[in-house]
Amino acid sequence: MNLLDTVLDFIFPSTCGFCDKMGEGYLCQDCKRKITNSNFYFNQLDFYQNKDTFIDEHFYLFSYTEPIRGKILQYKFEDKAYLANTIYEFFMNNEKLYGFLKKYDIMIPIPISSSRKRERGYNQSELLARKISKMANIHIETQALKKAKNNQPQSSLNKEQRRENVKNVYKVQNELKIQNKKILLFDDIYTTGSTANECARMLRAFGSQAVGILTIARDLQKYQKRKE
C-alpha cells in the first residue's frame, strides 16, 4: 500500500462507495453483485478501423449511466478521491481485462493541466492508472505526455467543437520513452473520443507502435447518435 492509499484509508474508513456499508471494504459484495449483473456493466472491448482514428482499441467496463455516472462525477469533481478504491474493485481479478492489459508496454493516464490538478488535488485518471498498472505489472509513465494548456471543458461542447478544442493541447516529452512501444491510455470517461484520439495522434507522431485506451465508462448514447 502506498502513502496515498494509507492517507485515504485513515481519512475515509473502509466503507462501500455505493451503499456506505462498513466492514466489507470499499465495495460490498451485494453492490458488486448487483452492478456486475446489471445492464450497464459491459466489460467490453471495441476495435477501431476508421482512418481518422489513431486509437486501435478501447476497453471499458460500464455504460456512462446511473449510478456509475454519478460516482465518476463525485470522484472527479467533489473531492472524493477515495472512490478510486471502489472503482478499482471492478478492475481487479477481471480475466478479460487482464488479457487486454498484457498486450501493452506502457500505461499513460490522460494528463490534466497543472492548474486543474492543483484545483482538484489529484488527477483522477492517474490515481486509478497507478493501481491498475501495479495489478498488471505494466510500467506507468506520467512524464512522456503533458497537457500544454488548460482548454475549455469538453463537457460543454458538441462533437466538432470538442475536436477543435483539443488540437495541439497535448505535447510529447521524453519521446525516447514511447518510441516503438505499445501504449495504453487511461481515462475516466470516453464520450466522442476527441481527447483520447488527439493524445494517440501525438504519441504515434513520435513513434509509438500502437495505442489503445482503457476507461471506466463509455457514453454509449453519444456513440449511438454518431452512428445514426
Side-chain angles (χ1 to χ4, degrees), residues 121-133:
Y122 55 92
N123 177 346
Q124 73 282 351
S125 294
E126 184 179 336
L127 285 186
L128 267 170
R130 288 192 179 281
K131 292 176 176 293
I132 296 165
S133 67

Side-chain angles (χ1 to χ4, degrees), residues 48 53 55 154 159 162 166 189-199 213 218 226:
Y48 299 115
T53 302
I55 297 168
Q154 292 284 82
K159 181 183 176 182
R162 284 171 185 247
V166 295
I189 309 160
Y190 188 102
T191 306
T192 64
S194 298
T195 297
N197 198 48
E198 177 65 10
C199 289
I213 184 164
R218 178 172 186 171
R226 292 202 308 275

Side-chain angles (χ1 to χ4, degrees), residues 174-225:
N174 304 315
E175 59 190 77
L176 291 178
K177 291 185 176 183
I178 65 169
Q179 287 181 350
N180 300 313
K181 300 293 186 180
K182 295 179 180 178
I183 295 177
L184 181 63
L185 294 167
F186 182 84
D187 206 1
D188 48 8
I189 309 160
Y190 188 102
T191 306
T192 64
S194 298
T195 297
N197 198 48
E198 177 65 10
C199 289
R201 183 182 73 83
M202 294 301 297
L203 292 169
R204 285 186 177 277
F206 284 87
S208 298
Q209 182 180 344
V211 181
I213 184 164
L214 171 66
T215 63
I216 304 167
R218 178 172 186 171
D219 191 334
L220 293 169
Q221 292 182 337
K222 291 280 179 64
Y223 174 68
Q224 290 298 333
K225 287 179 182 178

Side-chain angles (χ1 to χ4, degrees), residues 53-176:
T53 302
F54 297 91
I55 297 168
D56 298 300
E57 55 186 3
H58 175 201
F59 196 106
Y60 56 98
L61 295 185
F62 301 101
S63 168
Y64 188 54
T65 55
E66 297 298 342
I68 299 302
R69 180 180 181 277
K71 290 303 171 184
I72 292 175
L73 293 178
Q74 288 176 10
Y75 172 53
K76 191 171 182 175
F77 297 117
E78 297 182 18
D79 269 346
K80 295 190 176 182
Y82 65 92
L83 285 173
N85 294 313
T86 296
I87 297 168
Y88 175 64
E89 290 286 331
F90 293 102
F91 290 94
M92 288 179 60
N93 304 317
N94 184 326
E95 292 185 8
K96 184 177 179 180
L97 171 62
Y98 191 77
F100 170 76
L101 292 170
K102 296 305 288 184
K103 294 187 286 184
Y104 291 93
D105 304 309
I106 298 172
M107 177 180 282
I108 297 180
I110 298 287
I112 60 177
S113 67
S114 55
S115 60
R116 191 68 53 80
K117 189 171 183 178
R118 285 194 299 272
E119 178 185 326
R120 294 180 187 171
Y122 55 92
N123 177 346
Q124 73 282 351
S125 294
E126 184 179 336
L127 285 186
L128 267 170
R130 288 192 179 281
K131 292 176 176 293
I132 296 165
S133 67
K134 186 179 294 185
M135 173 191 79
N137 196 28
I138 300 175
H139 174 67
I140 186 168
E141 179 57 63
T142 60
Q143 300 301 315
L145 186 66
K146 289 292 184 180
K147 191 170 187 181
K149 59 181 180 180
N150 195 5
N151 58 339
Q152 186 175 349
Q154 292 284 82
S155 59
S156 63
L157 306 175
N158 63 33
K159 181 183 176 182
E160 294 304 321
Q161 291 170 330
R162 284 171 185 247
R163 185 182 292 120
E164 290 298 317
N165 191 47
V166 295
K167 277 187 177 179
N168 302 314
V169 166
Y170 300 91
K171 65 179 182 179
V172 170
Q173 300 182 145
N174 304 315
E175 59 190 77
L176 291 178

